[in-house]
């Protein structure tokens, strides 16, 4: 099977047009058309529907695209294996939840950078669901996510157990029942956030319907708005401890079944681990830089 034909096929599939793919790859449109027709003849199937808006994949085309992605990922992995040296260097892309990045990672990232300055370390924050997909799609080398995570293509290390607490503004009265938040606005990260999922699981279990749900993109935004009395939220105790000491927030305990969550570091089972990722995992395993006095390595 012609690798160049697969390259052309993937470009057309992603861009939805042979002419767009030709411009993107800087090839004559007739060359792309001929290669794709050659591929269809070789496989004895139709890969694209042609229409006046461009092209769209047939069912067989969708199957081939999934294999094509795997083939090119393997080529990338071979190049990395051949170029990998004992001294870690090159890109390393790590994903993380916003809360973990803000509170837990600065010391770890600083230590790793000091020891391996030739590694081009990039940190991308997002909710757990987004980070899991990033690792599965080879966009992230590894990621800090909330557990549990069960997927046949992933392996993980449990690094922290977090305690979740309900937070309100400093003037809020102590809560005697979850029913008291019935008419409050809850402040959360966007869908895919594990803390939001845990919050919604808890209030649904109790039959509580919040007055309104407001989504935020940053941890500071949630904490600032809770402090100002706009609403309430559910976050790790370690994240809000400083704000409670300063008198800006009050915490309220929640049932233990909803109040504990593990932070995991996940990475692919089937992917070659470059020396940079191996050393990152080694530091993560040996150091206690993620842990403060109120959290434990498990």
């Amino acid at each position: 099977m012609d690798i160049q034909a697969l390259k052309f096929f993937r470009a057309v599939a992603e861009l939805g047009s042979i002419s767009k793919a030709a411009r993107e790859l800087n090839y004559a449109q007739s060359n792309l058309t001929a290669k794709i027709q050659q591929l269809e003849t070789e496989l004895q199937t139709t890969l694209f529907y042609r229409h006046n808006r461009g092209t769209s994949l047939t069912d067989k085309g969708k199957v081939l695209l999934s294999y094509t992605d795997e083939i090119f990922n393997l080529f990338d992995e071979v190049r990395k294996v051949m170029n990998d040296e004992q001294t870690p260097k090159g890109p390393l892309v790590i994903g993380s939840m916003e809360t973990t990045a803000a509170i837990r990672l600065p010391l770890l990232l600083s230590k790793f950078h000091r020891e391996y300055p030739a590694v081009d370390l990039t940190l991308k924050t997002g909710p757990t669901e987004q980070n899991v997909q990033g690792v599965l799609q080879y966009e992230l080398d590894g990621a800090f996510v909330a557990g549990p995570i069960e997927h046949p293509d992933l392996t993980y290390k449990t690094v922290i157990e977090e305690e979740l607490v309900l937070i309100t503004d400093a003037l809020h009265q102590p809560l005697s029942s979850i029913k008291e938040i019935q008419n409050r606005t809850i402040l959360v990260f966007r869908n895919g956030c594990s803390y939001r999922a845990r919050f919604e699981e808890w209030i649904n279990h109790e039959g509580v319907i919040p007055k309104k749900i407001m989504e935020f993109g940053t941890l500071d935004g949630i904490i600032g708005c809770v402090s100002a009395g706009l609403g309430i939220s559910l976050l790790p105790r370690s994240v809000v401890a400083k704000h409670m000491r300063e008198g800006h927030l009050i915490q309220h305990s929640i049932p233990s079944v909803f109040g504990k969550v593990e932070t995991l570091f996940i990475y692919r089972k089937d992917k070659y681990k470059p020396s940079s990722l191996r050393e990152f995992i080694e530091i993560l395993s040996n150091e206690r830089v993620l842990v403060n006095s109120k959290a434990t390595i498990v």
Side-chain angles (χ1 to χ4, degrees):
M1 191 176 296
D2 190 335
I3 294 300
Q4 188 180 52
L6 286 177
K7 180 181 178 182
F8 290 169
F9 162 76
R10 184 169 71 168
V12 174
E14 291 175 347
L15 296 172
S17 165
I18 292 178
S19 59
K20 289 180 181 178
R23 288 195 297 272
E24 179 75 17
L25 298 174
N26 198 26
Y27 276 89
Q29 183 172 332
S30 58
N31 288 348
L32 264 73
T33 300
K35 282 290 187 181
I36 289 172
Q37 289 174 342
Q38 173 188 328
L39 191 59
E40 289 180 321
T41 300
E42 181 180 354
L43 297 174
Q44 299 183 353
T45 190
T46 300
L47 300 172
F48 292 103
Y49 296 116
R50 277 78 168 175
H51 45 72
N52 55 13
R53 298 187 308 277
T55 62
S56 56
L57 287 168
T58 64
D59 288 342
K60 289 293 181 68
K62 292 175 183 177
V63 172
L64 179 61
L65 181 61
S66 67
Y67 282 105
T68 301
D69 289 339
E70 290 185 30
I71 289 169
F72 283 108
N73 283 330
L74 283 172
F75 275 120
D76 289 341
E77 189 167 317
V78 168
R79 281 193 290 268
K80 289 177 181 177
V81 171
M82 294 299 102
N83 294 328
D84 194 22
E85 299 177 359
Q86 293 303 311
T87 301
K89 64 180 182 178
L92 179 66
V93 185
I94 300 297
S96 175
M97 297 176 289
E98 175 87 14
T99 51
T100 303
I103 302 300
R104 302 292 192 175
L105 295 190
L107 287 176
L108 174 69
L109 300 182
S110 177
K111 177 179 177 60
F112 183 82
H113 180 66
R114 286 196 307 271
E115 294 193 10
Y116 305 105
V119 175
D120 182 14
L121 179 63
T122 299
L123 180 68
K124 295 185 176 182
T125 60
T128 286
E129 184 177 307
Q130 177 181 314
N131 285 323
V132 170
Q133 289 304 311
V135 174
L136 289 173
Q137 298 301 321
Y138 300 92
E139 297 165 357
L140 301 172
D141 294 301
F144 294 92
V145 301
I149 297 292
E150 296 293 338
H151 193 285
D153 295 333
L154 297 177
T155 188
Y156 66 86
K157 289 184 176 294
T158 304
V159 292
I160 307 166
E161 183 181 85
E162 296 279 15
E163 178 186 359
L164 300 179
V165 293
L166 184 70
I167 57 170
T168 65
D169 63 274
L171 299 178
H172 200 287
Q173 296 297 315
L175 295 176
S176 58
S177 168
I178 182 62
K179 306 292 184 183
E180 295 177 27
I181 73 168
Q182 180 81 33
N183 296 319
R184 298 301 305 274
T185 298
I186 67 172
L187 313 183
V188 292
F189 290 111
R190 63 187 183 273
N191 278 324
C193 170
S194 57
Y195 305 142
R196 173 178 179 165
R198 187 63 60 89
F199 199 177
E200 292 177 339
E201 181 185 359
W202 176 35
I203 60 179
N204 288 337
H205 176 78
E206 298 291 344
V208 171
I209 301 176
K211 179 180 178 181
K212 184 177 181 181
I213 297 176
M214 294 183 65
E215 293 187 358
F216 289 76
T218 66
L219 176 62
D220 287 342
I222 291 179
I223 291 176
C225 288
V226 172
S227 177
L230 182 60
I232 62 178
S233 191
L234 188 72
L235 291 171
R237 181 196 293 270
S238 60
V239 169
V240 298
K242 173 178 177 290
H243 303 278
M244 290 189 297
R245 289 195 301 269
E246 294 172 351
H248 300 147
L249 300 172
I250 293 177
Q251 73 169 48
H252 308 267
S253 297
I254 70 171
S256 58
V257 65
F258 301 108
K260 300 291 185 183
V261 63
E262 292 180 334
T263 299
L264 315 177
F265 183 73
I266 61 169
Y267 48 97
R268 290 192 63 102
K269 288 180 180 177
D270 60 350
K271 184 176 184 294
Y272 172 76
K273 292 195 291 295
S275 57
S276 55
L277 180 59
R278 294 198 303 270
E279 294 302 333
F280 188 87
I281 294 171
E282 185 70 15
I283 287 181
L284 188 61
S285 300
N286 294 338
E287 297 294 329
R288 301 180 65 85
V289 292
L290 288 180
V291 184
N292 64 18
S293 60
K294 294 184 179 179
T296 53
I297 287 277
V298 292

